Amino acid sequence: MSSIKDVAKAANVSTATVSRVLANHPHVRQEVRERVLAAVAQLEYRPNLIARNLRSQQSNTLGLIVSDIRNPFFTAVSRAVEDTAYAHGYNVLLCNTDENPEKELLYLQLMGDEQVAGVIFSPTLQTLNRFHELNLSFPTVLIDRSLRSGDVDAVLLDNVSAGYTLAQHLINQGYRRIGAIFGEASTTGRERQRGFEDALRDAGISMQPEYLRFVRPRSEAGHSTTLDLLRLPQPPEAIFTSNSLLTAGALQAIRERRLQMPEQIGLVGFDDTAWASLVQPAITVLAQPTDEIGRSATELVLQRVADPQRPTRKIILQGELIVRESSVEQRVRA
Amino acid sequence: MSSIKDVAKAANVSTATVSRVLANHPHVRQEVRERVLAAVAQLEYRPNLIARNLRSQQSNTLGLIVSDIRNPFFTAVSRAVEDTAYAHGYNVLLCNTDENPEKELLYLQLMGDEQVAGVIFSPTLQTLNRFHELNLSFPTVLIDRSLRSGDVDAVLLDNVSAGYTLAQHLINQGYRRIGAIFGEASTTGRERQRGFEDALRDAGISMQPEYLRFVRPRSEAGHSTTLDLLRLPQPPEAIFTSNSLLTAGALQAIRERRLQMPEQIGLVGFDDTAWASLVQPAITVLAQPTDEIGRSATELVLQRVADPQRPTRKIILQGELIVRESSVEQRVRA
DNA sequence: TTGAAAGCGCTAACAA
DNA sequence: TTGTTAGCGCTTTCAA
């Protein structure tokens, strides 16, 4: 591997001049510039990014800390983050926390050690609550979850409104007794719950506490909780789930109990996954704009890298209700 | 941020001694060691990894270059790679190539610039063919795809055998005219094709060339190609797909044509995705051991980092046939 | 057992 | 317009 010294020697200039040419500094004679470029090409010189980072005290790497890469929502967002980051000349360091606050702290620390330029992060409620004590040394943009009050950049779904829309849809279709399953460790679940409850209240439906569940946002929990709900003396007529893993588990439970969808039970969830339109009946979902979320978050963090002083911003995006067959008009049902 | 100098000053020793303590070098007096550690704790010192990497000429980062992070197979493998890497104190730099050879080269170059310790890579056929000309400066382990002949570390499925098993299953169930859709840019598709053809030949079934398709391994292509196949004068009785995105597309096409599975058409594919058991009828698949693939690949690359001289190894893993309802005995069919 | 000092490859302040 | 030089934070050789 040739270094900047080799290039300098080959072009008969100082390393400073090589550096200037590479950084496109203005005051370099055309002839010299060409000589340097020729040497660079000749030696197949590639700058050592580690050295550059050490010297400039910041790297071209962005950290991406997600709670579960197997959740299609985060997969899709990661994809968008990755694309956008590389388009801006940044790399992505990927971390997976499994909703584990200890891992979150560990990875956050790692990001500091790696001197990343910035971080995109979907935190648990626990870490969120002590977020400001953390005193992170790098710009951070939260995705999917944040506190209303917090002075942090964030890109979020309008979860209250999304929860409202989805619940309202069920109500409009004639469902009255609605069981709802939310992720327990995030703000997202709580906000969607608020929208859900608002919709019921506005429709004059009294909420039954035993219909409301907060669980680990995984398909196993979706499965067992749905079975629980269906076992109640008066089981719900529809199931509302707050992420796609929960939806999958609920669907599995409904299948096991051999209930007809949507006649005997309705089902709705979040995120327009590949399978939501593949199963029969296809599932009604509140789709999140994952590309937009990933792209906005990346741009936001890059903007803050460029200007650390700028006031924080929260970008709130709207979801889109996609009505399919898993929830359908009451009069059509039995 | 305090540096090693600050610690040295606080502990009244030289930076060399601090470095020795941190690296757990033997010849340090216990008392001095404790003083240094106390200073480290006091100052909340964290070593600057960039500086460490520059000095030691290698980093604690592994590169992971996959062809499509939205393919659940790669998502699952990434997850395993990530876990294993972090368990060994390594980070993961994630790149997505979209099966684009230019992007592959770009990212490979990036890995060199970033001085990663090693790379895990699922290459296109095109890049694979010129792999040795690339003269990569870091250890590389190929996953999912490789050349039989190549002198490269790799973790692979026994694709020929997997293709054979899956095709044989269809044959055993009584299907004779079988359409098959393979990814076009990878060795994987070709090997699975070989297994597929071997199974037909062993069963004395003559292969019809128009039943064999090579396409972009995406659901859109799976969809349109399946429609094509079904439009043939003598359409196939079953569809064999060589990745889960293709399977999804095929399923969609079958739904649109309102064909009954498995009576009017059988369907099998690769990878036990979340939805394969959720759709009805559930899909028969050849499941890959994704965790094992990711873990083995990471361990392999780390072993080579430790010993660049060791002979290359190919780890060949077996898939598992999971029979579900989308393919079923002939006598049960119409 | 410890410290002084060189140097990894680069950038930028300063001087010429 | 270009070069000299210091130094980013760390590890390691050599000497004491």
Side-chain angles (χ1 to χ4, degrees), chain B residues 27-92:
Chain B
H27 304 300
V28 181
R29 245 171 48 229
Q30 184 58 22
E31 183 229 338
V32 173
R33 163 162 278 130
E34 278 161 15
R35 221 164 60 215
V36 169
L37 259 17
V40 164
Q42 158 71 22
L43 296 171
E44 295 186 9
Y45 167 73
R46 316 223 78 223
N48 180 326
L49 297 185
I50 308 261
R52 182 175 284 177
N53 291 345
L54 175 61
R55 170 64 221 223
S56 58
Q57 299 289 49
Q58 63 142 353
S59 80
N60 55 138
T61 297
L62 292 181
L64 175 60
I65 308 181
V66 300
S67 57
D68 184 2
I69 189 65
R70 282 171 307 190
N71 179 335
F73 168 74
F74 287 115
T75 308
V77 171
S78 300
R79 168 63 204 261
V81 168
E82 212 253 337
D83 269 8
T84 314
Y86 281 98
H88 286 84
Y90 282 79
N91 318 318
V92 176

Side-chain angles (χ1 to χ4, degrees), chain A residues 25-244:
Chain A
H25 273 249
H27 305 298
V28 181
R29 243 168 53 226
Q30 185 58 22
E31 182 229 339
V32 174
R33 161 162 282 131
E34 279 160 15
R35 221 162 62 216
V36 169
L37 259 17
V40 165
Q42 158 71 24
L43 295 171
E44 296 186 9
Y45 166 73
R46 315 223 80 222
N48 180 325
L49 297 186
I50 309 260
R52 182 176 282 178
N53 291 346
L54 176 60
R55 170 65 221 220
S56 59
Q57 298 288 50
Q58 61 142 354
S59 79
N60 55 137
T61 297
L62 292 181
L64 175 59
I65 309 181
V66 299
S67 57
D68 185 3
I69 190 66
R70 283 170 307 190
N71 179 335
F73 168 74
F74 287 114
T75 307
V77 170
S78 301
R79 169 65 205 261
V81 167
E82 212 252 336
D83 270 7
T84 314
Y86 281 99
H88 285 84
Y90 283 78
N91 318 317
V92 177
L93 207 55
L94 178 68
C95 302
N96 204 78
T97 65
D98 280 321
E99 309 270 3
N100 177 342
E102 280 175 35
K103 276 196 181 179
E104 292 182 329
L105 260 29
L106 206 78
Y107 285 141
L108 248 14
Q109 208 162 55
L110 173 77
M111 294 299 164
D113 296 349
E114 290 284 346
Q115 317 251 71
V116 296
V119 165
I120 296 170
F121 179 30
S122 68
T124 58
L125 199 49
Q126 190 170 333
T127 298
L128 202 48
N129 278 327
R130 41 179 299 202
F131 191 76
H132 283 286
E133 305 162 27
L134 259 36
N135 266 111
L136 299 178
S137 58
F138 40 80
T140 305
V141 171
L142 301 180
I143 52 170
D144 189 55
R145 304 132 182 229
S146 176
L147 292 175
R148 193 165 296 272
S149 57
D151 186 30
V152 205
D153 287 310
V155 179
L156 306 165
L157 189 74
D158 185 343
N159 283 308
V160 178
S161 153
Y164 191 98
T165 303
L166 201 50
Q168 191 182 37
H169 163 75
L170 281 175
I171 295 165
N172 287 345
Q173 301 304 308
Y175 295 96
R176 286 296 172 269
R177 300 198 308 276
I178 306 175
I181 312 177
F182 302 95
E184 64 189 350
S186 69
T187 54
T188 305
R190 305 204 167 184
E191 291 173 7
R192 293 177 185 175
Q193 174 207 357
R194 245 202 58 213
F196 174 82
E197 293 195 336
D198 286 356
L200 292 210
R201 190 178 321 110
D202 288 357
I205 300 174
S206 71
M207 191 58 223
Q208 311 195 34
E210 71 268 30
Y211 282 178
L212 230 54
R213 304 294 170 102
F214 296 86
V215 303
R216 230 172 116 72
R218 295 290 163 75
S219 73
E220 295 73 28
H223 177 244
S224 60
T225 309
T226 302
L227 288 179
D228 267 10
L229 288 169
L230 295 175
R231 242 182 256 121
L232 288 174
Q234 188 164 47
E237 301 162 333
I239 307 281
F240 173 114
T241 54
S242 90
N243 90 20
S244 69

